[in-house]
């Protein structure tokens, strides 16, 4: 008998489709049991493409009483002796995915959803959106004799998509304030509420009015509610891991280690088990490769532009010197000058440590995909003409480094800095210089071994290839000779004394007045 085909659920967000069409499913149903039996109203924030929609679809099937879809899953055993297990309730499922809110009015989207339910429950269409929703809750309870379940998927999509349009953002917030305020006034008609999003916007009535809404985004016991843990990957995708390792000519252990470096590392509570990005893992297993799957589906243009405009010191990303407490991380205001909460909620930063369990938390990039993808997106903001084929891009620098051609390396660096557009509103030159040097050498680390330091007692940058070692020391408004002397005096080259590779000690000086590379000496 032929083996059953194993189907990876890439892009599958419907629990019904997942189960009926026999896609591989990582069982998260124990969380549904806990939520349904211990509380009533919840909010969950997770980055995009992290499994929120599938989890909400699973909740929908549970509250609709689709017991057959849960056969063989953990919740079936947990509910075995529960009174009223899988009893159906009227479910109102608001899905804000799949719309372009720059073009579509939020009111029209809500009107379409309400119209469908008004036909089901025999309600008249007319009046304010919030009044229509109230009538629906009343009618559903009267018709079924059951309280209602309200599920809201990606509530913040109509807000995130219009972040750079202040007028439209405020308008959509006002629409939400009027509409979902209904949930507070009609609490007696509600059995269960679950709202998901990427961000938790303050000043939106979902959160300012609904103080009974429990935010579980940073609860340790729910850290694995979306995404995948290493154990879940090994338990559910062993044949795919074996095939991927064979294709890449790696051991399974090495394959798992690379998957972890590339896609693991999300922590939603300090010290909790790491969570992998599920979208990237499934695509990696399907394609048997380690591409930037999650990052390629959305570029953080708004975020990188804001980072540049606020003169954010991007070297903090590597040094783990970004701090925040739980209150800051769980709330976001568009007018907040602190961009860190939004970087965390959108998945570009995660918790990498904490001074104590109460915080403050230490933030950093979760993994290689996010780190390199984010810095690649940031680089054009500082050097917009350093595109592929320009002769001053990362690939050109890599080529000269691999060839040991320090003269061409100098010319490329000089051209790169000469191409950076400065204005009188820009930050001091030293900020630009430090940022571009950090970005260049970090991105070079994809192809050669690279170390970028900012602490005293260590060289600014070290690059290693199979044939060469480069030690760089940079100065501003001093001299390249002074930079070389520092390499000698501090003994930066000492670790390579017995190394057979050719060693280049390079002192570089930048002139802040002309904003250019003025001196380059090779020792």
């Amino acid at each position: 008998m032929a083996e059953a085909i194993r189907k990876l659920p890439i892009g599958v967000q419907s629990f019904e489709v997942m189960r009926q069409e026999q896609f591989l499913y990582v069982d998260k149903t124990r969380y549904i049991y806990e939520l349904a039996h211990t509380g009533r109203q919840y909010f969950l924030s997770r980055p995009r493409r992290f499994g929120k929609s599938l989890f909400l679809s699973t909740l929908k099937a549970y509250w609709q009483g689709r017991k057959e879809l849960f056969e063989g899953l953990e919740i079936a055993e947990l509910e075995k002796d529960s009174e009223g297990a899988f009893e159906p309730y009227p479910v109102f499922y608001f899905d804000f995915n799949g719309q372009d809110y720059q073009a579509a009015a939020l009111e029209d989207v809500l009107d379409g959803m309400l119209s469908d339910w008004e036909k089901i429950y025999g309600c008249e269409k007319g009046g304010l959106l919030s009044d229509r929703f109230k009538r629906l809750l009343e009618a559903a309870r009267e018709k079924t004799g059951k309280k209602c379940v309200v599920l809201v998927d990606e509530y913040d999509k109509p807000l995130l998509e219009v972040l750079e349009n202040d007028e439209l953002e405020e308008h959509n917030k006002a629409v939400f304030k009027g509409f979902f305020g209904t949930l507070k006034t009609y609490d007696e008609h509600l059995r269960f509420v679950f709202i998901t999003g990427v961000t938790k916007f303050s000043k939106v009535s979902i959160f300012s009015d609904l103080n009974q809404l429990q935010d579980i985004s940073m609860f340790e016991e729910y850290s694995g509610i979306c995404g995948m843990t290493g154990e879940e990957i090994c338990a559910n995708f062993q044949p795919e891991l074996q095939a991927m390792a064979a294709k890449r000519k790696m051991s399974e252990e090495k394959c798992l280690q690379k998957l972890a470096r590339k896609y693991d590392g999300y922590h939603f509570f300090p010290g909790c088990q790491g969570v992998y990005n599920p979208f990237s893992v499934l695509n990696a297993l399907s394609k048997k490769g380690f591409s930037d799957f999650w990052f390629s589906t959305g570029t953080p243009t708004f975020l990188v532009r804001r980072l540049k405009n606020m003169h954010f010191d991007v070297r903090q990303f590597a040094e783990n010197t970004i701090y925040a407490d739980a209150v800051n991380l769980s709330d976001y205001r568009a007018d907040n000058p602190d961009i860190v909460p939004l970087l965390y909620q959108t998945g570009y930063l995660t918790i990498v440590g904490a001074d104590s369990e109460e915080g403050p938390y230490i933030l950093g990039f979760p993994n290689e995909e996010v780190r390199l993808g984010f810095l690649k997106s940031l680089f054009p903001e500082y050097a917009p003409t350093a595109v592929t084929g320009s002769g001053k891009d990362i690939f050109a620098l890599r080529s000269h480094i691999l060839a040991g051609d320090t003269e061409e390396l100098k010319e490329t660096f000089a051209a790169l800095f000469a191409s950076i557009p400065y204005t009188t509103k820009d930050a001091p030159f030293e900020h630009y210089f430090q940022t571009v040097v950090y970005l260049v050498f970090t991105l070079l680390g994809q192809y050669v071994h690279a170390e970028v330091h900012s602490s005293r007692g260590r060289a600014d940058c070290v690059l290693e290839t199979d044939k060469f070692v480069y030690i760089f020391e940079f100065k501003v408004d001093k001299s390249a000779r002074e930079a070389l002397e520092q390499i000698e005096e501090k003994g930066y080259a000492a670790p390579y004394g017995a190394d057979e590779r050719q060693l280049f000690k390079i002192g570089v000086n930048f002139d802040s007045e002309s904003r250019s590379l003025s001196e380059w000496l090779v020792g």
Side-chain angles (χ1 to χ4, degrees), residues 53-193:
S53 294
L54 176 59
F55 186 76
L56 216 66
S57 175
T58 312
L59 277 170
K60 177 183 177 182
Y62 172 81
W63 288 110
Q64 286 178 333
R66 304 288 303 278
K67 184 177 180 180
E68 75 280 3
L69 296 178
F70 294 89
E71 289 179 7
L73 299 180
E74 195 168 354
I75 196 171
E77 182 65 24
L78 291 169
E79 291 279 21
K80 186 172 59 176
D81 300 319
S82 297
E83 185 179 345
F86 295 104
E87 190 177 344
Y89 286 80
V91 175
F92 294 94
Y93 187 99
F94 293 88
D95 183 0
F96 290 103
N97 290 295
Q99 294 286 345
D100 176 4
Y101 292 96
Q102 294 281 2
L106 178 56
E107 295 96 317
D108 293 341
V109 174
L110 287 168
D111 174 71
M113 296 178 186
L114 296 178
S115 295
D116 291 340
W117 292 320
E118 283 164 341
K119 293 173 185 175
I120 295 172
Y121 292 106
C123 292
E124 290 185 11
K125 179 177 178 179
L128 296 174
L129 291 169
S130 56
D131 291 338
R132 291 168 62 189
F133 189 28
K134 287 178 185 178
R135 290 199 298 268
L136 274 167
L137 293 173
E138 292 171 340
R141 186 173 186 187
E142 184 178 345
K143 186 171 183 177
T144 65
K146 302 281 186 62
K147 292 185 178 183
C148 301
V149 171
V150 176
L151 306 175
V152 184
D153 191 13
E154 302 285 14
Y155 91 93
D156 56 346
K157 193 168 186 286
L159 305 177
L160 284 172
E161 280 196 359
V162 298
L163 273 181
E164 295 186 271
N165 185 333
D166 293 342
E167 184 178 349
L168 190 51
E169 183 192 353
E170 289 305 314
H171 172 80
N172 286 354
K173 281 184 182 180
V175 172
F176 272 146
K177 186 171 181 62
F179 187 78
F180 285 113
T182 303
L183 297 179
K184 181 177 183 179
T185 57
Y186 269 54
D187 184 57
E188 72 271 19
H189 292 301
L190 299 173
R191 169 64 182 87
F192 186 86
V193 175

Side-chain angles (χ1 to χ4, degrees), residues 410-425:
K410 169 193 170 183
E411 295 301 322
T412 302
F413 260 108
L416 173 62
F417 277 89
S419 71
I420 296 174
Y422 300 101
T423 72
T424 55
K425 295 180 181 179

Side-chain angles (χ1 to χ4, degrees), residues 101-316:
Y101 292 96
Q102 294 281 2
L106 178 56
E107 295 96 317
D108 293 341
V109 174
L110 287 168
D111 174 71
M113 296 178 186
L114 296 178
S115 295
D116 291 340
W117 292 320
E118 283 164 341
K119 293 173 185 175
I120 295 172
Y121 292 106
C123 292
E124 290 185 11
K125 179 177 178 179
L128 296 174
L129 291 169
S130 56
D131 291 338
R132 291 168 62 189
F133 189 28
K134 287 178 185 178
R135 290 199 298 268
L136 274 167
L137 293 173
E138 292 171 340
R141 186 173 186 187
E142 184 178 345
K143 186 171 183 177
T144 65
K146 302 281 186 62
K147 292 185 178 183
C148 301
V149 171
V150 176
L151 306 175
V152 184
D153 191 13
E154 302 285 14
Y155 91 93
D156 56 346
K157 193 168 186 286
L159 305 177
L160 284 172
E161 280 196 359
V162 298
L163 273 181
E164 295 186 271
N165 185 333
D166 293 342
E167 184 178 349
L168 190 51
E169 183 192 353
E170 289 305 314
H171 172 80
N172 286 354
K173 281 184 182 180
V175 172
F176 272 146
K177 186 171 181 62
F179 187 78
F180 285 113
T182 303
L183 297 179
K184 181 177 183 179
T185 57
Y186 269 54
D187 184 57
E188 72 271 19
H189 292 301
L190 299 173
R191 169 64 182 87
F192 186 86
V193 175
F194 200 93
I195 298 172
T196 74
V198 171
T199 58
K200 183 181 176 183
F201 279 86
S202 64
K203 298 183 180 178
V204 178
S205 73
I206 291 178
F207 309 113
S208 59
D209 291 347
L210 299 184
N211 49 20
Q212 72 271 36
L213 199 64
Q214 189 173 21
D215 184 355
I216 61 171
S217 305
M218 298 182 71
F219 280 25
E220 184 175 14
E221 59 266 39
Y222 293 114
S223 60
I225 195 170
C226 293
M228 300 178 190
T229 65
E231 286 83 354
E232 288 172 333
I233 292 170
C234 290
N236 289 277
F237 303 105
Q238 196 62 40
E240 289 74 23
L241 283 169
Q242 292 171 348
M244 185 177 186
K247 173 76 172 178
R248 310 308 301 181
K249 295 182 171 56
M250 308 167 76
S251 68
E252 283 184 51
E253 183 181 5
K254 292 288 186 186
C255 187
L256 276 168
Q257 288 172 355
K258 186 159 185 179
L259 274 174
R261 287 196 306 274
K262 192 78 177 178
Y263 310 120
D264 191 11
Y266 284 95
H267 297 88
F268 302 103
F269 186 87
C272 74
Q273 187 175 19
V275 180
Y276 289 68
N277 183 309
F279 182 80
S280 289
V281 169
L282 291 173
N283 275 279
L285 293 174
S286 174
K287 296 175 174 60
K288 302 178 179 62
F290 298 97
S291 297
D292 295 338
F293 299 107
W294 179 76
F295 212 92
S296 65
T297 62
T299 305
T301 306
F302 169 76
L303 291 170
V304 298
R305 192 176 299 140
R306 270 199 66 181
L307 281 172
K308 183 191 176 214
N309 291 340
M310 66 190 293
H311 311 315
F312 190 90
D313 185 357
V314 298
R315 294 175 300 168
Q316 293 181 77

Side-chain angles (χ1 to χ4, degrees), residues 25-38:
Y25 174 66
V26 177
D27 190 350
K28 301 283 187 178
T29 57
R30 73 182 184 280
Y31 294 111
I32 290 177
Y33 178 83
E34 291 169 11
L35 292 166
H37 287 267
T38 60

